[in-house]
Structure formats: structure tokens, C-alpha cells
Amino acid sequence: MQKESIDVNIRNKGENSLRGSLHLDSNTTGLSLAIITDDKPKVMKGLGVENTLNNYTINSLFNNEKFEEIGFNSLLYFKEIRNYSIKARKDIETQKVDAIHEVFVLKSRLSENIDAKGLDNNYSFKKSSSHQNDYWKHIDNILFQPLPKSVEKFIEENLTEIKE
């Protein structure tokens, strides 16, 4: 017998506007949440630059059977989407930036002691990978999908890797 799916809306406490949802089916929970939305962007100004965060949305999938069991130990997938508008004081035009970060959890371990000095606090990769092969070609995770050939071709023809 298959378990019935459950959907729960997440609303903003102050104004009761819809901010996201939880979806529970037979053994997974999906979370979608709009942190910053187009109707209420976050404007940040400093050092002659105006940065407007127009949209910040997260989506995640957890391997669990109850909403109460959502946590890092059951995380399978996480995706964040950010849309920015950046303008320097001297510029006439605004530069638009769309950033998408996806994380596929292949395996995990919990640690009691973490040396925070060794952790990077930004999104850049400062160290090369320790993988000896093309690990992404052998991932046994249905959520992980390779790039479409058209996107691969566009990247190959139009982008270059910058090496320091």
C-alpha cells in the first residue's frame, strides 16, 4: 500500500503571504522556500555600489518519512537560486547576475570537531579536487543529470577557464 502524499504551505507570519511549501510522499520530503522575492527585493548599498537581491529561492529534497525528520542527515539534494542587479554609482546600466548552486549529497559523515580555520567562507574552489577520475560520470543518483549537449557545446565554444 502506497502512502498518501501530503502538501503543506509555508506562509509569512507577518502578512500571511505564501513563501514556500513542503511536499511529503512515500519516503521523501521536498522543501521549496522563497527567502527574497521579486515583490520585496533586498537593496544593499556600500562603497559606491548598489546591489539589489531580487530573488533568493531554495529547493531541497530529504530522504525521510516524516516532516519532523528533516535535517542534514537526511539531505539528498539542495539548490539555491539568486538573482542580483548590480550597479556602480558611475555606471548608467545595471548588470544582472543569475547564480545557481546545486549540491548532490553522495555520502556524508557527521563530525563533532570542525577546524573552522581550514574552511573557506566563499563559493570559490581554492584547492584542486582529490578525485582521480571523472566521478560525475559514475554517480548513482537519479537526481543528478548531466548537462544537455547544447549547453556543453555552448560552454565549450563561448567560455574559457581562468587559471591563476
Side-chain angles (χ1 to χ4, degrees):
M1 180 169 105
Q2 187 166 345
K3 190 176 178 180
E4 184 179 326
S5 65
I6 301 170
D7 291 304
V8 175
N9 288 332
I10 300 171
R11 299 195 172 275
N12 189 346
K13 189 174 184 179
E15 57 202 44
N16 202 27
S17 61
L18 186 63
R19 302 300 282 196
S21 64
L22 282 166
H23 175 79
L24 177 68
D25 62 26
S26 58
N27 60 357
T28 59
T29 299
L31 169 67
S32 295
L33 192 58
I35 310 292
I36 306 287
T37 56
D38 292 333
D39 61 333
K40 289 193 175 182
K42 182 176 182 178
V43 179
M44 300 160 278
K45 296 179 181 182
L47 303 172
V49 176
E50 181 177 303
N51 183 354
T52 304
L53 179 55
N54 299 307
N55 188 338
Y56 177 40
T57 305
I58 62 170
N59 296 293
S60 54
L61 186 64
F62 301 88
N63 182 22
N64 59 296
E65 296 180 9
K66 297 179 184 175
F67 289 137
E68 298 81 16
E69 296 172 354
I70 290 176
F72 286 119
N73 58 344
S74 63
L75 183 64
L76 296 171
Y77 171 77
F78 177 82
K79 179 178 186 177
E80 70 175 2
I81 302 167
R82 297 175 190 239
N83 305 108
Y84 293 94
S85 298
I86 301 171
K87 183 178 178 192
R89 188 178 310 147
K90 63 181 171 109
D91 293 342
I92 296 171
E93 293 187 21
T94 301
Q95 181 179 1
K96 299 202 180 291
V97 177
D98 295 320
I100 298 174
H101 299 102
E102 281 187 298
V103 175
F104 297 89
V105 179
L106 305 178
K107 62 182 177 179
S108 64
R109 65 180 172 86
L110 299 177
S111 176
E112 294 290 327
N113 301 317
I114 296 177
D115 179 14
K117 294 176 189 171
L119 298 177
D120 293 338
N121 60 359
N122 61 24
Y123 290 103
S124 64
F125 296 104
K126 294 184 178 183
K127 300 174 185 167
S128 61
S129 169
S130 62
H131 294 281
Q132 301 300 315
N133 58 11
D134 297 340
Y135 69 92
W136 57 89
K137 293 181 179 177
H138 309 287
I139 293 175
D140 185 22
N141 183 329
I142 196 165
L143 300 172
F144 181 78
Q145 299 295 318
L147 290 174
K149 293 296 179 195
S150 59
V151 174
E152 282 184 10
K153 185 175 181 181
F154 176 84
I155 291 170
E156 184 179 298
E157 293 175 356
N158 297 290
L159 302 178
T160 33
E161 181 179 359
I162 299 173
K163 295 186 178 185
E164 295 180 23

